Coordinates of all heavy atoms in Angstrom, one line a residue:
M1 N 0.8 -1.2 0.0 CA 0.0 0.0 0.0 C 0.9 1.3 0.0 O 0.6 2.2 -0.7 CB -0.9 0.0 1.2 CG -1.9 1.1 1.3 SD -3.2 0.7 0.1 CE -4.5 1.6 0.9
H2 N 1.9 1.2 0.8 CA 2.8 2.4 0.9 C 3.6 2.6 -0.5 O 3.8 3.7 -0.9 CB 3.8 2.2 2.0 CG 4.6 3.3 2.4 ND1 4.6 4.6 1.7 CD2 5.6 3.5 3.3 CE1 5.4 5.4 2.2 NE2 6.1 4.8 3.2
L3 N 3.9 1.6 -1.1 CA 4.6 1.6 -2.4 C 3.7 2.3 -3.5 O 4.2 3.0 -4.3 CB 5.1 0.3 -2.8 CG 6.0 0.2 -4.1 CD1 7.2 1.0 -3.9 CD2 6.3 -1.2 -4.4
R4 N 2.4 1.9 -3.4 CA 1.5 2.4 -4.4 C 1.3 4.0 -4.1 O 1.3 4.7 -5.1 CB 0.1 1.8 -4.2 CG -0.9 2.3 -5.2 CD -2.2 1.6 -5.0 NE -2.2 0.3 -5.6 CZ -3.1 -0.6 -5.5 NH1 -4.2 -0.4 -4.8 NH2 -3.0 -1.8 -6.1
F5 N 1.3 4.4 -2.9 CA 1.2 5.8 -2.6 C 2.4 6.6 -3.1 O 2.3 7.7 -3.7 CB 1.1 6.0 -1.1 CG 1.0 7.5 -0.7 CD1 -0.1 8.2 -0.9 CD2 2.1 8.0 0.0 CE1 -0.1 9.6 -0.6 CE2 2.1 9.4 0.3 CZ 1.0 10.1 0.1
Q6 N 3.6 6.0 -3.0 CA 4.8 6.6 -3.5 C 4.8 6.7 -5.0 O 5.2 7.8 -5.6 CB 6.1 5.8 -3.1 CG 6.4 5.9 -1.6 CD 7.6 5.1 -1.3 OE1 8.0 4.2 -2.0 NE2 8.2 5.4 -0.2
K7 N 4.3 5.7 -5.7 CA 4.2 5.7 -7.2 C 3.2 6.9 -7.6 O 3.5 7.6 -8.5 CB 3.7 4.4 -7.7 CG 4.8 3.4 -7.6 CD 4.3 2.1 -8.3 CE 5.4 1.0 -8.2 NZ 4.9 -0.3 -8.7
I8 N 2.1 6.9 -6.9 CA 1.1 7.9 -7.3 C 1.6 9.4 -7.0 O 1.5 10.3 -7.8 CB -0.2 7.7 -6.5 CG1 -0.9 6.4 -7.0 CG2 -1.2 8.9 -6.7 CD1 -2.1 6.0 -6.3
S9 N 2.3 9.5 -5.9 CA 2.9 10.8 -5.5 C 4.0 11.2 -6.6 O 4.0 12.4 -7.0 CB 3.6 10.8 -4.2 OG 2.9 10.1 -3.3
L10 N 4.8 10.3 -7.0 CA 5.8 10.5 -8.0 C 5.1 10.9 -9.3 O 5.6 11.9 -10.0 CB 6.7 9.3 -8.2 CG 7.8 9.5 -9.2 CD1 8.8 10.5 -8.8 CD2 8.5 8.2 -9.4
L11 N 4.1 10.2 -9.7 CA 3.4 10.5 -10.9 C 2.8 11.9 -10.9 O 2.9 12.7 -11.9 CB 2.3 9.5 -11.2 CG 1.5 9.6 -12.5 CD1 2.4 9.5 -13.7 CD2 0.4 8.6 -12.5
L12 N 2.2 12.3 -9.8 CA 1.6 13.6 -9.6 C 2.7 14.7 -9.7 O 2.5 15.7 -10.3 CB 0.8 13.7 -8.3 CG -0.5 13.0 -8.3 CD1 -1.1 13.0 -6.9 CD2 -1.5 13.5 -9.4
F13 N 3.8 14.4 -9.0 CA 5.0 15.4 -9.1 C 5.4 15.6 -10.5 O 5.7 16.7 -10.9 CB 6.1 14.9 -8.2 CG 7.3 15.7 -8.2 CD1 7.3 16.9 -7.6 CD2 8.4 15.3 -8.9 CE1 8.5 17.8 -7.6 CE2 9.5 16.1 -9.0 CZ 9.6 17.3 -8.3
L14 N 5.6 14.5 -11.2 CA 6.1 14.6 -12.6 C 5.1 15.3 -13.5 O 5.5 16.1 -14.3 CB 6.4 13.2 -13.2 CG 7.6 12.5 -12.6 CD1 7.7 11.1 -13.1 CD2 8.8 13.3 -12.9
L15 N 3.8 15.1 -13.3 CA 2.8 15.8 -14.1 C 2.8 17.3 -13.8 O 2.6 18.1 -14.7 CB 1.4 15.2 -13.8 CG 1.1 13.8 -14.4 CD1 -0.2 13.3 -13.9 CD2 1.1 13.9 -15.9
Q16 N 2.9 17.6 -12.5 CA 3.0 19.1 -12.2 C 4.3 19.7 -12.8 O 4.2 20.9 -13.3 CB 3.0 19.3 -10.7 CG 1.6 19.0 -10.1 CD 1.6 19.0 -8.5 OE1 2.7 19.2 -7.9 NE2 0.5 19.0 -7.9
A17 N 5.4 19.1 -12.7 CA 6.6 19.6 -13.3 C 6.5 19.8 -14.8 O 6.9 20.7 -15.4 CB 7.8 18.7 -12.9
W18 N 5.9 18.8 -15.4 CA 5.7 18.8 -16.9 C 4.7 20.0 -17.3 O 4.9 20.7 -18.2 CB 5.1 17.5 -17.4 CG 4.8 17.5 -18.9 CD1 5.8 17.5 -19.9 CD2 3.6 17.6 -19.5 NE1 5.1 17.6 -21.1 CE2 3.8 17.6 -20.9 CE3 2.3 17.7 -19.0 CZ2 2.8 17.7 -21.8 CZ3 1.2 17.8 -19.9 CH2 1.5 17.8 -21.3
K19 N 3.7 20.1 -16.5 CA 2.7 21.2 -16.7 C 3.3 22.6 -16.6 O 3.1 23.4 -17.4 CB 1.5 21.1 -15.8 CG 0.4 22.1 -16.1 CD -0.8 21.8 -15.1 CE -1.9 22.8 -15.4 NZ -3.0 22.7 -14.4
S20 N 4.2 22.8 -15.6 CA 4.8 24.0 -15.4 C 5.8 24.3 -16.5 O 6.0 25.5 -16.9 CB 5.5 24.1 -14.0 OG 6.5 23.2 -14.0
T21 N 6.5 23.3 -17.0 CA 7.5 23.6 -18.1 C 6.8 23.8 -19.4 O 7.2 24.6 -20.2 CB 8.5 22.4 -18.2 OG1 7.7 21.2 -18.5 CG2 9.4 22.3 -17.0
S22 N 5.7 23.1 -19.6 CA 5.0 23.4 -20.9 C 4.3 24.7 -20.9 O 4.0 25.3 -22.0 CB 3.9 22.2 -21.1 OG 2.9 22.3 -20.1
A23 N 3.9 25.2 -19.8 CA 3.3 26.6 -19.7 C 4.3 27.7 -20.0 O 4.0 28.8 -20.4 CB 2.7 26.8 -18.3
Q24 N 5.6 27.4 -19.8 CA 6.6 28.4 -20.0 C 7.1 28.5 -21.4 O 7.9 29.3 -21.8 CB 7.8 28.1 -19.1 CG 7.6 28.2 -17.7 CD 8.8 27.7 -16.8 OE1 9.7 27.3 -17.3 NE2 8.6 27.8 -15.5
T25 N 6.7 27.6 -22.3 CA 7.1 27.6 -23.7 C 6.5 28.8 -24.4 O 5.5 29.3 -24.0 CB 6.7 26.3 -24.4 OG1 5.2 26.2 -24.3 CG2 7.3 25.1 -23.8
T26 N 7.2 29.3 -25.4 CA 6.7 30.5 -26.1 C 5.5 30.1 -27.0 O 5.4 29.0 -27.4 CB 7.8 31.0 -27.0 OG1 8.3 30.0 -27.9 CG2 9.0 31.5 -26.2
A27 N 4.8 31.1 -27.3 CA 3.6 30.9 -28.2 C 4.1 30.6 -29.6 O 5.2 31.1 -30.0 CB 2.8 32.2 -28.3
P28 N 3.4 29.7 -30.3 CA 3.9 29.4 -31.7 C 3.8 30.5 -32.6 O 3.0 31.4 -32.4 CB 2.9 28.2 -32.1 CG 1.7 28.4 -31.2 CD 2.2 29.0 -29.9
E29 N 4.7 30.6 -33.6 CA 4.7 31.7 -34.5 C 3.4 31.6 -35.3 O 2.8 30.6 -35.6 CB 5.8 31.5 -35.4 CG 7.2 31.8 -34.8 CD 8.3 31.7 -35.8 OE1 8.1 31.8 -37.0 OE2 9.4 31.5 -35.4
Q30 N 2.9 32.8 -35.7 CA 1.8 32.9 -36.6 C 2.1 32.3 -37.9 O 3.1 32.5 -38.5 CB 1.3 34.3 -36.7 CG 0.9 34.9 -35.4 CD -0.4 34.3 -34.8 OE1 -1.2 33.8 -35.6 NE2 -0.5 34.2 -33.5
P31 N 1.2 31.5 -38.5 CA 1.4 31.0 -39.8 C 1.6 32.1 -40.9 O 1.1 33.2 -40.7 CB 0.2 30.1 -40.1 CG -0.9 30.7 -39.2 CD -0.2 31.3 -38.0
D32 N 2.3 31.7 -41.9 CA 2.5 32.7 -43.0 C 1.2 33.0 -43.6 O 0.4 32.1 -44.0 CB 3.5 32.0 -44.0 CG 4.1 33.1 -44.9 OD1 3.7 34.3 -44.8 OD2 4.8 32.7 -45.8
S33 N 0.9 34.3 -43.7 CA -0.4 34.7 -44.2 C -0.5 34.6 -45.8 O -1.6 34.8 -46.3 CB -0.8 36.1 -43.7 OG 0.1 37.0 -44.2
R34 N 0.7 34.5 -46.4 CA 0.6 34.4 -47.9 C 0.0 33.2 -48.4 O 0.0 32.1 -47.6 CB 2.1 34.5 -48.4 CG 2.8 35.8 -48.0 CD 4.2 35.9 -48.6 NE 4.9 34.7 -48.2 CZ 5.9 34.2 -48.9 NH1 6.3 34.8 -50.0 NH2 6.6 33.1 -48.5
G35 N -0.5 33.2 -49.5 CA -1.1 32.0 -50.1 C -0.1 30.9 -50.5 O 1.1 31.2 -50.6
I36 N -0.6 29.7 -50.6 CA 0.3 28.6 -50.9 C 0.9 28.8 -52.3 O 2.1 28.4 -52.4 CB -0.5 27.3 -50.8 CG1 0.5 26.1 -50.8 CG2 -1.5 27.1 -51.9 CD1 -0.2 24.8 -50.4
L37 N 0.3 29.4 -53.2 CA 0.9 29.5 -54.5 C 2.1 30.5 -54.5 O 3.1 30.3 -55.2 CB -0.2 30.0 -55.6 CG -1.2 29.0 -55.9 CD1 -2.3 29.6 -56.9 CD2 -0.6 27.8 -56.5
E38 N 1.9 31.5 -53.7 CA 3.0 32.5 -53.5 C 4.2 31.8 -52.9 O 5.4 32.0 -53.2 CB 2.6 33.7 -52.7 CG 1.6 34.6 -53.4 CD 1.1 35.7 -52.5 OE1 1.4 35.8 -51.3 OE2 0.4 36.6 -53.0
R39 N 4.0 31.0 -51.8 CA 5.1 30.3 -51.2 C 5.7 29.3 -52.1 O 7.0 29.2 -52.1 CB 4.6 29.6 -49.9 CG 4.3 30.6 -48.8 CD 3.8 29.9 -47.6 NE 2.4 29.5 -47.8 CZ 1.7 28.7 -46.9 NH1 2.3 28.2 -45.9 NH2 0.5 28.4 -47.2
L40 N 4.9 28.6 -52.9 CA 5.5 27.7 -53.9 C 6.3 28.4 -54.9 O 7.3 27.9 -55.4 CB 4.4 26.9 -54.6 CG 3.7 25.8 -53.7 CD1 2.6 25.1 -54.4 CD2 4.7 24.7 -53.3
A41 N 5.8 29.6 -55.4 CA 6.6 30.4 -56.3 C 7.9 30.8 -55.8 O 8.9 30.8 -56.5 CB 5.8 31.6 -56.8
D42 N 7.9 31.2 -54.5 CA 9.2 31.6 -53.8 C 10.1 30.4 -53.8 O 11.4 30.5 -54.1 CB 9.0 32.1 -52.4 CG 8.3 33.5 -52.4 OD1 8.3 34.2 -53.5 OD2 7.8 33.9 -51.4
R43 N 9.7 29.3 -53.4 CA 10.5 28.1 -53.3 C 11.0 27.7 -54.7 O 12.2 27.2 -54.8 CB 9.8 26.9 -52.6 CG 9.6 27.1 -51.2 CD 9.1 25.9 -50.5 NE 8.9 26.1 -49.1 CZ 8.5 25.2 -48.3 NH1 8.3 24.0 -48.7 NH2 8.4 25.5 -47.0
A44 N 10.2 27.8 -55.7 CA 10.6 27.4 -57.1 C 11.7 28.4 -57.5 O 12.7 28.0 -58.1 CB 9.4 27.5 -58.0
G45 N 11.6 29.7 -57.2 CA 12.6 30.6 -57.5 C 13.9 30.4 -56.8 O 15.0 30.4 -57.4
Q46 N 13.8 29.9 -55.6 CA 15.0 29.6 -54.8 C 15.7 28.4 -55.4 O 16.9 28.3 -55.6 CB 14.7 29.4 -53.4 CG 14.3 30.6 -52.6 CD 13.8 30.3 -51.2 OE1 13.6 29.1 -50.8 NE2 13.5 31.3 -50.4
A47 N 14.9 27.4 -55.8 CA 15.4 26.1 -56.4 C 16.1 26.4 -57.7 O 17.1 25.9 -58.0 CB 14.3 25.1 -56.5
K48 N 15.4 27.3 -58.5 CA 16.0 27.7 -59.8 C 17.3 28.4 -59.7 O 18.3 28.1 -60.4 CB 15.0 28.6 -60.6 CG 15.5 29.0 -61.9 CD 14.5 29.9 -62.6 CE 15.0 30.4 -63.9 NZ 14.2 31.4 -64.5
A49 N 17.4 29.3 -58.7 CA 18.7 30.0 -58.5 C 19.7 29.0 -58.0 O 20.9 29.1 -58.4 CB 18.5 31.1 -57.4
R50 N 19.4 28.1 -57.2 CA 20.4 27.1 -56.7 C 20.8 26.2 -57.8 O 22.1 25.9 -57.9 CB 19.7 26.2 -55.6 CG 20.6 25.7 -54.6 CD 19.9 24.9 -53.5 NE 19.2 25.8 -52.6 CZ 18.2 25.5 -51.8 NH1 17.7 24.3 -51.9 NH2 17.7 26.4 -51.0
I51 N 19.9 25.7 -58.7 CA 20.3 24.9 -59.8 C 21.2 25.6 -60.8 O 22.2 25.1 -61.3 CB 19.0 24.3 -60.5 CG1 18.4 23.3 -59.6 CG2 19.3 23.7 -61.8 CD1 17.0 22.9 -60.0
Q52 N 20.9 26.9 -61.0 CA 21.7 27.7 -61.9 C 23.1 27.9 -61.3 O 24.1 27.8 -62.1 CB 21.0 29.1 -62.2 CG 19.9 29.0 -63.2 CD 19.2 30.4 -63.3 OE1 19.4 31.2 -62.5 NE2 18.5 30.5 -64.4
S53 N 23.2 28.1 -60.1 CA 24.5 28.2 -59.4 C 25.3 26.9 -59.6 O 26.5 27.0 -59.9 CB 24.3 28.6 -58.0 OG 25.5 28.6 -57.3
I54 N 24.7 25.8 -59.3 CA 25.3 24.5 -59.5 C 25.8 24.3 -60.9 O 26.9 23.9 -61.2 CB 24.5 23.4 -59.0 CG1 24.3 23.5 -57.5 CG2 25.0 22.0 -59.3 CD1 23.3 22.6 -56.9
G55 N 24.9 24.7 -61.9 CA 25.2 24.5 -63.3 C 26.4 25.4 -63.7 O 27.2 24.9 -64.5
E56 N 26.4 26.6 -63.2 CA 27.6 27.5 -63.5 C 28.9 26.9 -63.0 O 29.9 26.9 -63.6 CB 27.3 28.9 -63.0 CG 26.2 29.6 -63.7 CD 25.8 30.9 -63.0 OE1 26.5 31.2 -61.9 OE2 25.0 31.6 -63.5
T57 N 28.8 26.3 -61.8 CA 30.0 25.7 -61.2 C 30.5 24.5 -62.0 O 31.6 24.4 -62.3 CB 29.8 25.3 -59.8 OG1 29.3 26.4 -59.0 CG2 31.0 24.7 -59.1
V58 N 29.5 23.7 -62.4 CA 29.9 22.5 -63.2 C 30.4 22.9 -64.5 O 31.4 22.3 -65.0 CB 28.6 21.5 -63.4 CG1 28.9 20.5 -64.4 CG2 28.3 20.9 -62.0
L59 N 29.8 23.9 -65.2 CA 30.3 24.4 -66.4 C 31.7 24.9 -66.3 O 32.6 24.7 -67.2 CB 29.4 25.4 -67.0 CG 29.7 26.0 -68.4 CD1 29.7 24.9 -69.4 CD2 28.8 27.1 -68.7
G60 N 32.0 25.6 -65.2 CA 33.4 26.2 -65.0 C 34.4 25.0 -64.9 O 35.4 25.1 -65.5
F61 N 34.0 24.0 -64.1 CA 34.9 22.9 -64.0 C 35.1 22.2 -65.3 O 36.3 21.8 -65.7 CB 34.5 21.9 -62.9 CG 34.8 22.3 -61.5 CD1 33.7 22.5 -60.6 CD2 36.1 22.5 -61.1 CE1 34.0 22.9 -59.3 CE2 36.3 22.9 -59.8 CZ 35.3 23.1 -58.9
A62 N 34.0 22.0 -66.0 CA 34.1 21.3 -67.3 C 35.0 22.0 -68.3 O 35.8 21.4 -69.0 CB 32.7 21.0 -67.8
S63 N 34.8 23.3 -68.4 CA 35.6 24.1 -69.3 C 37.1 24.2 -68.9 O 37.9 24.1 -69.8 CB 35.0 25.6 -69.5 OG 35.1 26.2 -68.3
A64 N 37.3 24.2 -67.6 CA 38.7 24.2 -67.2 C 39.4 22.9 -67.5 O 40.5 22.8 -67.9 CB 38.8 24.5 -65.7
Y65 N 38.6 21.8 -67.3 CA 39.1 20.4 -67.6 C 39.4 20.3 -69.1 O 40.4 19.8 -69.5 CB 38.1 19.4 -67.1 CG 38.6 18.0 -67.4 CD1 39.5 17.3 -66.5 CD2 38.2 17.3 -68.5 CE1 40.0 16.0 -66.8 CE2 38.7 16.0 -68.8 CZ 39.5 15.4 -67.9 OH 40.0 14.1 -68.2
Y66 N 38.5 20.8 -69.9 CA 38.6 20.8 -71.4 C 39.8 21.5 -71.8 O 40.7 21.0 -72.6 CB 37.4 21.3 -72.1 CG 37.5 21.4 -73.6 CD1 37.4 20.3 -74.4 CD2 37.8 22.6 -74.2 CE1 37.5 20.4 -75.7 CE2 37.9 22.7 -75.6 CZ 37.8 21.6 -76.3 OH 37.9 21.6 -77.7
E67 N 40.0 22.7 -71.2 CA 41.2 23.5 -71.6 C 42.5 22.9 -71.2 O 43.5 23.0 -71.9 CB 41.1 25.0 -71.0 CG 40.0 25.8 -71.7 CD 39.8 27.1 -71.0 OE1 40.6 27.4 -70.1 OE2 38.9 27.9 -71.4
D68 N 42.5 22.2 -70.1 CA 43.7 21.6 -69.5 C 44.1 20.3 -70.1 O 45.2 19.9 -70.2 CB 43.7 21.6 -68.0 CG 43.7 22.9 -67.3 OD1 44.1 23.9 -68.0 OD2 43.3 23.0 -66.1
H69 N 43.1 19.5 -70.4 CA 43.3 18.1 -70.8 C 42.9 17.7 -72.1 O 43.5 16.7 -72.7 CB 42.6 17.2 -69.7 CG 43.1 17.4 -68.3 ND1 44.3 16.9 -67.9 CD2 42.5 18.0 -67.3 CE1 44.5 17.3 -66.6 NE2 43.4 17.9 -66.2
I70 N 41.9 18.2 -72.7 CA 41.3 17.7 -73.9 C 41.8 18.6 -75.1 O 42.2 18.0 -76.2 CB 39.8 17.6 -73.9 CG1 39.4 16.7 -72.8 CG2 39.2 17.2 -75.2 CD1 37.9 16.6 -72.5
Q71 N 41.7 19.9 -75.0 CA 42.0 20.8 -76.1 C 43.5 20.7 -76.5 O 44.3 20.9 -75.6 CB 41.6 22.2 -75.8 CG 41.8 23.2 -76.9 CD 41.5 24.6 -76.5 OE1 41.6 24.9 -75.3 NE2 41.1 25.4 -77.4
P72 N 43.8 20.3 -77.7 CA 45.2 20.2 -78.0 C 45.8 21.6 -78.1 O 45.3 22.5 -78.7 CB 45.2 19.5 -79.4 CG 43.8 19.8 -79.9 CD 42.9 19.9 -78.7
S73 N 46.9 21.8 -77.5 CA 47.6 23.1 -77.5 C 48.6 23.1 -78.7 O 49.4 22.2 -78.9 CB 48.3 23.3 -76.2 OG 49.3 22.3 -76.0
G74 N 48.4 24.1 -79.5 CA 49.3 24.3 -80.6 C 49.0 23.5 -81.8 O 49.6 23.6 -82.8
W75 N 48.0 22.7 -81.8 CA 47.6 21.9 -83.0 C 46.6 22.7 -83.8 O 45.6 23.2 -83.2 CB 47.0 20.6 -82.6 CG 48.0 19.6 -82.1 CD1 49.0 19.8 -81.3 CD2 48.0 18.2 -82.5 NE1 49.7 18.6 -81.1 CE2 49.1 17.6 -81.9 CE3 47.2 17.4 -83.3 CZ2 49.4 16.3 -82.0 CZ3 47.5 16.1 -83.5 CH2 48.6 15.5 -82.8
R76 N 46.6 22.7 -85.0 CA 45.6 23.3 -85.9 C 45.2 22.4 -86.9 O 46.0 21.8 -87.6 CB 46.2 24.6 -86.6 CG 46.4 25.7 -85.6 CD 46.7 26.9 -86.4 NE 46.0 28.0 -85.8 CZ 45.6 29.1 -86.4 NH1 45.8 29.2 -87.7 NH2 44.9 30.0 -85.9
L77 N 44.0 22.2 -87.1 CA 43.4 21.5 -88.2 C 42.9 22.4 -89.2 O 42.1 23.2 -88.9 CB 42.3 20.5 -87.6 CG 42.7 19.4 -86.6 CD1 41.5 18.7 -86.2 CD2 43.7 18.5 -87.3
C78 N 43.4 22.2 -90.4 CA 42.9 23.1 -91.5 C 42.2 22.4 -92.5 O 42.3 21.3 -92.9 CB 44.1 23.9 -92.1 SG 44.9 25.0 -91.0

């Protein structure tokens, strides 16, 4: 009987501690008021910019590799 009382007391203590910590949390941010299409358009623009940046980097590496390894230096085909 005494062990049961200890378990119940511990459970109540934990519930009170959890309740006080959850009350201290900040209020959630207000959701974005823009429409879903506007948010999708923003994300699409960000993805496009990221892809273009990656493409420019790959093109730079490919052209440097071509100039250093593939393009014959001093050879002319007429």
Side-chain angles (χ1 to χ4, degrees):
M1 185 78 151
H2 187 4
L3 186 61
R4 183 180 283 173
F5 177 72
Q6 286 179 341
K7 287 181 181 179
I8 292 173
S9 319
L10 180 64
L11 181 62
L12 289 174
F13 175 75
L14 291 175
L15 286 174
Q16 287 176 350
W18 177 75
K19 185 179 178 184
S20 65
T21 57
S22 65
Q24 294 174 358
T25 59
T26 60
E29 293 183 18
Q30 295 296 326
D32 197 0
S33 63
R34 298 180 307 154
I36 191 166
L37 292 178
E38 290 176 352
R39 287 183 282 171
L40 286 174
D42 287 346
R43 286 190 183 184
Q46 291 171 355
K48 180 182 175 184
R50 209 176 286 154
I51 290 169
Q52 285 177 339
S53 173
I54 291 170
E56 290 171 358
T57 304
V58 169
L59 181 63
F61 280 120
S63 63
Y65 181 83
Y66 175 77
E67 289 175 5
D68 292 343
H69 299 287
I70 298 174
Q71 183 181 29
S73 59
W75 283 45
R76 285 188 140 212
L77 295 177
C78 294

